[in-house]
Structures are given as structure tokens and as C-alpha cells.
Amino acid sequence: MGEFKVHRVRFFNYVPSGIRCVAYNNQSNRLAVSRTDGTVEIYNLSANYFQEKFFPGHESRATEALCWAEGQRLFSAGLNGEILEYDLQALNIKYALDAFGGPIWSMTASPSGSQLLVGCEDGSVKLFEVTPDKIQFARNFDRQKSRILSLSWHPAGTHIAAGSIDYVIVFDVKSGSITRKMVLDRQHLGVTKSRCIVWGVAFLSDGTVISVDSVGKVQLWDSATGTLVKSHVIANADVQSIAVADQEDSFVVGTAEGTVFHFQLVPVTSSSSEKQWVRTKPFQHHTHDVRTVAHSPTALISGGTDTHLVIRPLMEKVEVKNYDAALRKITFPHRRLISCSKRRQLLLFQFAHHLELWRLGSTVATGKNGDTLPLSKNADHLLHLKTKVSKMPAFLRSALHILFSEDSTKLFVASNQGSLHIIHLLEGNFKHLHTFQPQSGTVEAMCLLAVSSDGNWLAASGTSAGVHVYDLNHLKLHCTVPAYNFPVTALAIAPNTNNLVIAHSDQQVFEFSIPDKQYTEWSRAVQKQGFHHLWLQRDTPITHISFHPKRPMHILLHDTYMFCIIDKSLPLPNDKTLLYNPLPPKNESDVFLRRTAHAFKISKIYKPLLFMDLLDERTLVAVERPLDDIIAQLPPPIKKKKFGT
């Protein structure tokens, strides 16, 4: 790999917002995640759990509910009293509709997806029809005295269960009237609480209603008679969320103590046809409240205050070699939040509502490999730039990605309508040069851009479409890279050769010659042999690709937990070869090391790694964000009493 002087940066004070809601879509195998700042993320679980879409949050939107309807339509609702629908192609909000019931605490779609229900602060349950272009208010159900905190639709679509304070109500959907009201016991371990908040409900096909509450109970009710069937005390704090498998043979709940419990429907005896709900598995993958859970056919999904999205595959449903390889804990965005000015030694940090510009520190000290050198000059915080009203024309205000040319004379802007704008930057002014319109009449947003160092080529990729390469001299489409089934996570154009290197969410890396309009010989060799199995098993995507200015055979790339230099002059590793940290041969007689040396030089020293790049041929900058630093800025978790203390 060679020796580099490394600027190890840990002053990027990035703290992800806590997770408030998750909603799983069985048809598309996608997961929608909303955070406490109103941000919404879409994960493609079939594409190696890649975060393929992202909607920025806003301080006026506090999301309390999230659901899919009509198959691929996504809705959210929150404490500002509005229902939002998201445009999954243009990556913006289609519209916002006031429900006129005050803050909205809960929302659910009918089994057919054609109707939405919302539960409001004023005690109302409101029914909306999902029309092709919008949603339309239909009617109110019988109004209650307390806010409606949770809702669940019976699979037949005939009744709904609603959770409030101290009781669970069953409504008839056709009439909107109450058929049953179940009052909850406020007692917990002999102590009577002042109230019992029903944080979640689930309505099963056989008429059973499952409720989870602030008293730490999971309770099963007979909706026909209104009687309590079974009560499970599982926590000393709130049970805040519940989700049921489509087959209704298991469900998952999350607690304020950070524990996730799995319940399964099992036979009472080995020879009995009668079944009962049994708590089978507790999981402690969170440090704080588990505010939301989901249940896919193969996994339990949870999120909460500690900002982690945890995906825990069910071992009996998935064929995996070991537990650790199966567990996913997603903390950081699958996109770059950091840009670098190599010549000026500057770093630009992107936050939700502002930017920070820093100048790197410097040292005059020297040392040997592995030494930490003292700074002779500390890093400088040069600028804190808040978002403000843009002076750009309206067609540039829906930008999803912007990129400067190498000489900083041009700005490339990818819009949410699929078009690409070229802006000529002048002293104190700008000029619109050209717009590339979306291909084949699509309006899919373009999320990734790469420009060649000579300023001749621009590559652009959307969330699912192929990669398009544009000729900037003749202002026309040059070619389209052959389509691939997995989304692009990073792309870059190599200097000198103008080879386009593309990383995909399944950990495949391709090299495409822009001048020749075809994959390079090296890329074809890689695809023929295949990547090492440990390379393909990595669970965080490559988010940045760069190149060594003096070594054209080197490709530099990283994900959250490793930095890699691919030396194309060396042979590829096979599955029998040690992938990580093979030592280079020191002399011609070192036969073993020469035999095991291969193209992949990997370092796992820096992690979690949010950005890494070359400043010059001998200097690297690495931006890390230790998880302990994030946890230290979160509110304290609920203290759990341990045995013997």
C-alpha cells in the first residue's frame, strides 16, 4: 500500500437524528425510515440494504407515523397536523394536507391500500380515500375524549383497533361507531400508575387485538367480547412499538429499555393443534428507547433514540453461516457528507441545516511508521454557513447534487426532475450554459455526478437507472453504461485514461472506458474471475472513489469500515487467498509472500470512516466519527437494574 502521512480528523460533529418510524413494504421489499428531524430514508433490502433514496427533513415537520398505501405510495403524518405524500421519483414532497384534528399521532393504510386512517390529538379518527393523484377526506369515526396514539386495521378491512390513554377501542369501519371498548389495568408490579398509554395495537385475523403500553405490558384481547385473554409483563418501562408478521405466526415489540422481544405462535404441546403466544427471544442491540419496529418475512427491524437501524435476520428463515454476519446495524447515511479541496487543504462538512468549512492542521515534526505527530498548527474552523434564500433561478432550486469542474469555472447541477444543468461561474455572477434533458422521457432524479479532470466528460446516475456519460465539448449524450441490477453507490472518472469506475450496492466494482464506450480489459477479467467472497460479504457500501496522481494503476475507495487501494497491476485474490492485509514481498526470494500478494490492499485502522482521500501523492485525510462520541451527545438511557445490584 505504501507509506502515507495521514490527517486523522475527528472534529466532524455529526450526530444522526433518532429514528421515529419504520414501515416495511412487502411488495417492493423496501423499508421507509423517518427520523425525529423529519428526514425520510428509503432502503432497498433486495439491494444489500442500500439507502437508495433520501428526503431532507425540516424543523416544522415532526413525523409520528409512516405507512405505504396503494402499493408504492408513501405517506407520513406528524405533530403539525398534516399528511404528506412523497414523490419517490422526483424525491420531493408531492403535497401536504391538513387533517384538521390537531397533531396526528398515528396512521395506517387499509389492507387493500385504498384508504388511510389517522388518529389525532382531538380524539378523532379520520378516514381518507386514496385517489390516483391525492387523498380525499371521507368521514370521521366516533370521537373520543383522549388522543388516538395507535391504529391497526383488521386484515378483512371491516374493523379497526385504536389505542388511546387507558383503553383500546374497536370501531366498525362501515358505520364508524364503537363496537368494543377495553379498559387497561394501570398496575405494574403492585404499583398503580397515573395512566396507561397504549403506544401500539395490532389486529389479527382471528379477532385478537394485541396492545403494548406504558405499564410494560403486552396484552391480548378478544375483540368480540372485549375480554383480556393473556397479559405478558416484559419491561419495567414503556413497551413502545409492535409489528406482526404477514403470516401472523410471530410478532416483535420494542421497549424503552432498548430491548426487542420476539413472540411466536407455537403448539401448546407437541401433539396439540391448539397454539399459544410465547415470548421466545429477547435482543439487546440498542442502548436507548426502541421507538419503532417492523417485521419482514425474514427479519426483525428496529430503530430508536440511539439512531441505529438494526436488521436482525430470523435464523430459521435465512440461510447464513453465523449470527454476526447476518446482523445489520446501519448508523450513517449511504452518501458522502464531506468534500475536500486538496490544493487548499480544506474540508467542507454537510449538516442538516448548515455547512462548516475547516482548514486542516499541519506539523513540521517527523517520525517513523505508526507515530502520531504533534500539530504545529491546529485545524481552523473558517466558516459556519446557514441555509438562506437562494439567488439562483427557480429551475436550480430543486438540486439534489452539485459538482464543480476541476478548474472551478463550471457548476454542474442535478435536478430532481432528471435534468442536468451546466452553469458558467463568473466573478460575482453566473450564466446558464446548457441543460441535458432526462433520457427516454423519464423524470427520475439524478443523485450522483462525476466530472473528468480535463473537463470533457460528465457522468450521472439516478437511483435505479443506468449511468449516462455526457460529452461536455459537444453538449450531447456520449453513451450509456450497460444496465446493472443494483444501484450505484459511488462513481469517479480517472485522470489521463478517462476510465469511469462505478461501485454498486452488491459490492461489485466496474471500470468502463469512456472513449471506447466499453468495459476495460481489467474489468472484464474481474467479472470473469469474480471478487473474493469476503469482499462481497461487506455490509456497508462504497461511498467514495479516487485515484493516485502518479500511479494510474491504483484505484482508491472506502466504505464505513475499510479503506482499500486496488492495484490493477497485481493478480486478483481468489477465495483461497487471504483478502485482508497480505504483506508485499521484500525480495525476489520471498516466494510465499510473492505468491500471496494480490491487487487489494485493505486497511481497517480508521473507523467509522466517513471520508478518505489523497491530498497529494504522499498524504491522506481520513474523517472518522466514533460511535462513542455520538452516544455521548444523546440523552441518557433508562437505567436497567441488574441482578445482585
Side-chain angles (χ1 to χ4, degrees):
M1 185 178 282
E3 288 189 2
F4 295 96
K5 184 168 69 174
V6 180
H7 288 268
R8 196 168 187 175
V9 174
R10 290 191 169 188
F11 50 76
F12 180 27
N13 192 27
Y14 173 74
V15 179
S17 294
I19 294 175
R20 182 60 192 92
C21 310
V22 295
Y24 175 70
N25 187 317
N26 201 19
Q27 294 181 24
S28 64
N29 198 27
R30 282 174 168 80
L31 183 75
V33 176
S34 69
R35 296 185 179 267
T36 53
D37 65 350
T39 296
V40 172
E41 304 156 352
I42 310 292
Y43 292 82
N44 186 342
L45 304 193
S46 300
N48 204 14
Y49 301 86
F50 179 59
Q51 186 193 102
E52 64 179 6
K53 297 178 181 181
F54 164 77
F55 299 86
H58 193 276
E59 53 197 16
S60 67
R61 294 197 302 267
T63 303
E64 284 292 324
L66 192 68
C67 74
W68 298 90
E70 286 284 352
Q72 303 299 314
R73 294 174 66 176
L74 180 65
F75 296 87
S76 75
L79 300 184
N80 65 355
E82 293 180 338
I83 303 171
L84 308 180
E85 181 174 4
Y86 297 85
D87 188 325
L88 300 181
Q89 279 197 313
L91 299 186
N92 61 9
I93 294 172
K94 275 187 178 180
Y95 58 86
L97 184 71
D98 195 324
F100 294 103
I104 298 173
W105 291 96
S106 53
M107 178 172 61
T108 183
S110 65
S112 66
S114 61
Q115 295 174 312
L116 281 181
L117 275 174
V118 296
C120 303
E121 173 73 20
D122 66 358
S124 63
V125 175
K126 298 175 181 290
L127 180 69
F128 291 82
E129 300 289 341
V130 180
T131 63
D133 299 321
K134 214 170 181 181
I135 59 171
Q136 186 173 347
F137 174 74
R139 54 193 167 86
N140 286 312
F141 287 15
D142 287 351
R143 188 167 169 177
Q144 305 304 301
K145 293 181 179 179
S146 300
R147 64 182 63 151
I148 305 297
L149 293 158
S150 50
L151 290 167
S152 180
W153 217 300
H154 187 276
T158 56
H159 294 79
I160 64 159
S164 186
I165 297 174
D166 292 334
Y167 53 83
V168 175
I169 317 145
V170 177
F171 289 96
D172 179 272
V173 172
K174 190 174 182 179
S175 66
S177 58
I178 296 175
T179 61
R180 285 283 175 245
K181 186 173 184 178
M182 291 87 85
V183 179
L184 279 75
D185 184 2
R186 299 179 183 176
Q187 281 208 342
H188 176 72
L189 301 177
V191 178
T192 301
K193 303 279 185 174
S194 60
R195 60 181 183 173
C196 180
I197 302 170
V198 183
W199 289 119
V201 289
F203 214 148
L204 305 186
S205 300
D206 65 0
T208 299
V209 173
I210 308 173
S211 65
V212 299
D213 58 47
S214 60
V215 184
K217 295 178 182 177
V218 176
Q219 301 193 102
L220 286 79
W221 305 84
D222 184 333
S223 65
T225 62
T227 56
L228 178 65
V229 177
K230 183 72 175 178
S231 180
H232 300 265
V233 179
I234 65 168
N236 290 319
D238 298 44
V239 185
Q240 297 181 310
S241 48
I242 181 171
V244 181
D246 282 348
Q247 275 72 33
E248 297 186 355
D249 56 356
S250 75
F251 67 86
V252 58
V253 299
T255 75
E257 296 171 329
T259 309
V260 171
F261 290 97
H262 187 204
F263 286 76
Q264 290 179 285
L265 191 61
V266 298
V268 175
T269 63
S270 58
S271 59
S272 173
S273 60
E274 184 183 355
K275 293 185 177 182
Q276 63 181 350
W277 288 103
V278 175
R279 187 179 73 190
T280 55
K281 300 169 186 173
F283 305 112
Q284 189 78 41
H285 298 308
H286 295 276
T287 58
H288 291 65
D289 302 44
V290 179
R291 299 294 304 273
T292 179
V293 291
H295 198 317
S296 80
T298 58
L300 307 179
I301 302 166
S302 56
T305 306
D306 67 3
T307 79
H308 301 311
L309 176 65
V310 176
I311 302 169
R312 202 287 186 190
L314 298 167
M315 304 307 287
E316 64 273 18
K317 303 286 186 180
V318 182
E319 294 181 8
V320 291
K321 293 183 179 178
N322 62 58
Y323 172 84
D324 291 328
L327 180 72
R328 303 277 180 138
K329 184 177 278 191
I330 301 171
T331 306
F332 299 103
H334 292 169
R335 65 188 188 282
R336 273 176 53 195
L337 299 175
I338 300 159
S339 299
C340 176
S341 171
K342 299 178 182 181
R343 188 161 55 91
R344 300 280 188 178
Q345 305 260 301
L346 301 175
L347 290 176
L348 183 68
F349 298 146
Q350 177 186 335
F351 294 85
H353 302 293
H354 74 275
L355 301 173
E356 289 184 5
L357 184 66
W358 289 75
R359 180 181 288 117
L360 290 169
S362 60
T363 183
V364 294
T366 58
K368 61 181 185 299
N369 188 25
D371 285 353
T372 300
L373 304 179
L375 288 175
S376 56
K377 186 178 181 182
N378 290 327
D380 288 333
H381 185 187
L382 303 176
L383 180 67
H384 181 105
L385 183 65
K386 294 183 178 180
T387 54
K388 53 187 175 180
V389 177
S390 171
K391 295 182 180 178
M392 287 286 189
F395 70 90
L396 293 180
R397 293 178 189 169
S398 57
L400 292 178
H401 191 94
I402 60 174
L403 182 68
F404 290 100
S405 61
E406 190 82 3
D407 61 4
S408 298
T409 62
K410 293 185 180 69
L411 178 67
F412 305 101
V413 181
S415 84
N416 67 345
Q417 299 297 320
S419 54
L420 299 171
H421 307 290
I422 305 176
I423 309 299
H424 186 206
L425 301 176
L426 306 169
E427 189 68 33
N429 205 346
F430 59 88
K431 180 182 179 182
H432 177 226
L433 292 181
H434 187 73
T435 295
F436 293 112
Q437 296 299 332
Q439 301 301 310
S440 305
T442 63
V443 292
E444 185 186 41
M446 306 304 282
C447 300
L448 290 172
L449 297 177
V451 65
S452 62
S453 58
D454 59 15
N456 293 334
W457 310 104
L458 177 68
S461 172
T463 55
S464 60
V467 178
H468 305 297
V469 180
Y470 298 90
D471 183 334
L472 296 177
N473 291 322
H474 300 93
L475 298 177
K476 66 177 184 178
L477 178 68
H478 175 68
C479 64
T480 298
V481 178
Y484 189 65
N485 291 333
F486 288 83
V488 176
T489 66
L491 73 168
I493 302 174
N496 305 319
T497 62
N498 279 331
N499 289 336
L500 174 63
V501 179
I502 308 168
H504 292 270
S505 66
D506 63 345
Q507 310 299 359
Q508 295 288 337
V509 178
F510 295 90
E511 186 182 52
F512 183 84
S513 171
I514 292 176
D516 297 336
K517 300 183 181 181
Q518 62 181 7
Y519 290 116
T520 64
E521 289 186 14
W522 178 82
S523 189
R524 294 177 192 276
V526 171
Q527 292 305 308
K528 185 176 181 180
Q529 177 178 320
F531 284 94
H532 196 284
H533 71 282
L534 292 178
W535 177 268
L536 298 176
Q537 287 174 10
R538 293 170 20 257
D539 60 6
T540 58
I542 293 166
T543 53
H544 185 55
I545 301 170
S546 59
F547 307 94
H548 197 289
K550 298 293 179 65
R551 297 174 186 170
M553 297 300 286
H554 287 191
I555 302 171
L556 289 70
L557 39 81
H558 75 82
D559 63 17
T560 310
Y561 295 101
M562 71 92 204
F563 169 66
C564 177
I565 297 178
I566 301 177
D567 186 343
K568 296 188 292 179
S569 67
L570 292 177
L572 296 167
N574 58 45
D575 281 351
K576 296 180 181 179
T577 308
L578 182 69
L579 176 65
Y580 295 108
N581 301 326
L583 298 173
K586 295 179 180 177
N587 52 60
E588 291 295 328
S589 63
D590 201 339
V591 178
F592 173 75
L593 290 180
R594 186 163 294 282
R595 189 184 303 127
T596 58
H598 59 69
F600 286 67
K601 315 302 178 191
I602 296 173
S603 170
K604 290 191 169 185
I605 296 174
Y606 310 101
K607 54 187 178 182
L609 186 59
L610 298 192
F611 180 77
M612 196 163 199
D613 203 353
L614 280 168
L615 293 175
D616 56 49
E617 57 185 285
R618 305 301 304 168
T619 310
L620 285 165
V621 58
V623 181
E624 299 170 278
R625 188 60 176 140
L627 294 178
D628 287 345
D629 292 354
I630 293 175
I631 292 172
Q633 297 188 50
L634 300 178
I638 290 177
K639 298 292 185 183
K640 292 181 67 175
K641 185 176 178 62
K642 295 183 179 179
F643 179 75
T645 62

